Amino acid sequence: MKIDGKTNVCGLIGNPVEHTLSPMIHNTLAERMGHHLVYVPFPVEEGKVPQAVAGAHALNILGLNVTVPYKSEVIESLQDIDTLARDIGAVNTLVRTDGGYKGYNTDMEGLYRAMLSEGVAIEGEQIILLGAGGAARAVAYLCATKGADKVYLLNRTFDKAQTVAAEVNGRTGRKVIIPMCTKDYTKLPGGKYLAIQGTSVGLAPNVNDAVIEDRAFYEMLHTGFDLIYSPWETKFMRLTKEHGGQAYNGLKMLLYQGIIAYELWNDVQVSKEDAQAVYEKLKGQFMQ
Ligand code: ATR
């Protein structure tokens, strides 16, 4: 990679950031597309987000991604915010404007593109969404805005499911999110469901855990989409497959949230070939 006086800098703020795959996404795209751009992780300590954002702007940094734990906190430091990101209440991408940064949420659109690329539909679907944390909340919003028929939002803590459902139903004006306690999945109407796994259960190193262990649950699924991509195949995915369903991990969501951010920063469209090349490279990290 040639770095010279015209090189643009983009990066990631979060804590921790050591294990991020985002530099691979953006630096590969820059190389393939011939852009003068370099992407680096910036660990930001607690309480330092406003200084980090102001400093990045002063240093002419073109764009930033934001990861855990700052996706909500960063909103206070923005000049402007996209409507969708404001409704979700989480920002993962900052795009430079003259007076400061404008915040976007590309996680949600990234999941949507990932699902489209696998032929998994949301519109008209009966969906089971597992979890009611930050990630699941964005998924609930996605499902409500993309025309899901019903979304059964299952969470260990019922109160949180209720809060998310009320918020998303209120914001979208559609009463599609139905909060439930996870253990009450046995009360779900019969039929086959798309399940989206949005809890942290099953994430490495806890690879032998699944948020629902009962095999009867997996009989109800035609597709299981896990937001986790490490391990490559989660126990949730394995159980889905063992009962005849299709299963996907969250790596394509990671890929597409990055691609959409890259497109916003550089005002370009990333081709299918470039997207595929980045995906193969990311996948290589898990196949060693
Ligand atoms: P994120 O931002 O990644 O979504 P989070 O906001 O901490 O993370 O949310 C974690 C989600 O995983 C929550 O839905 C949480 O359930 P609770 O709301 O009941 O805490 C869920 N979760 C985490 N550990 C769990 C476990 N051992 N069993 C069931 N659900 C769990």
Side-chain angles (χ1 to χ4, degrees), residues 1 3 13 15 82 94 96 130 160 177 180 188 198 239 264 269:
M1 184 189 302
I3 296 181
I13 59 171
N15 190 12
D82 173 66
L94 270 49
R96 186 184 178 79
L130 297 162
K160 282 204 217 164
I177 317 283
M180 291 174 70
L188 286 167
L239 289 168
L264 286 169
Q269 284 285 111

Side-chain angles (χ1 to χ4, degrees), residues 3 14 16 23 103 105-106 117 124 170 182 187 204 236 242 261-262 265 269-270:
I3 296 181
N105 185 306
T106 72
S117 79
T182 308
K187 297 179 186 157
F236 167 82
E242 281 173 15
Y262 192 91
W265 294 330
Q269 284 285 111
V270 172

Side-chain angles (χ1 to χ4, degrees), residues 214-225:
D214 187 355
R215 289 175 170 268
F217 172 74
Y218 295 90
E219 291 287 344
M220 299 163 62
L221 312 185
H222 62 75
T223 306
F225 208 109

Side-chain angles (χ1 to χ4, degrees), residues 114-221:
M115 292 175 86
L116 279 183
S117 79
E118 305 288 14
V120 177
I122 292 180
E123 196 177 349
E125 282 291 316
Q126 306 272 330
I127 299 174
I128 297 173
L129 172 55
L130 297 162
R137 200 176 167 284
V139 177
Y141 199 83
L142 174 72
C143 295
T145 51
K146 298 289 184 190
D149 183 38
K150 289 259 169 353
V151 180
Y152 298 96
L153 178 63
L154 273 55
N155 198 45
R156 174 180 61 180
T157 314
F158 178 65
D159 284 4
K160 282 204 217 164
Q162 250 183 333
T163 306
V164 172
E167 249 177 68
V168 176
N169 285 336
R171 292 238 163 113
T172 57
R174 296 187 70 218
K175 290 219 163 13
V176 285
I177 317 283
I178 301 156
M180 291 174 70
C181 200
T182 308
K183 61 178 166 35
D184 289 340
Y185 72 84
T186 50
K187 297 179 186 157
L188 286 167
K192 285 277 191 182
Y193 293 84
L194 158 66
I196 303 174
Q197 202 301 106
T199 76
S200 44
V201 183
L203 187 63
N206 302 315
V207 300
N208 293 319
D209 295 346
V211 63
I212 298 178
E213 301 273 352
D214 187 355
R215 289 175 170 268
F217 172 74
Y218 295 90
E219 291 287 344
M220 299 163 62
L221 312 185

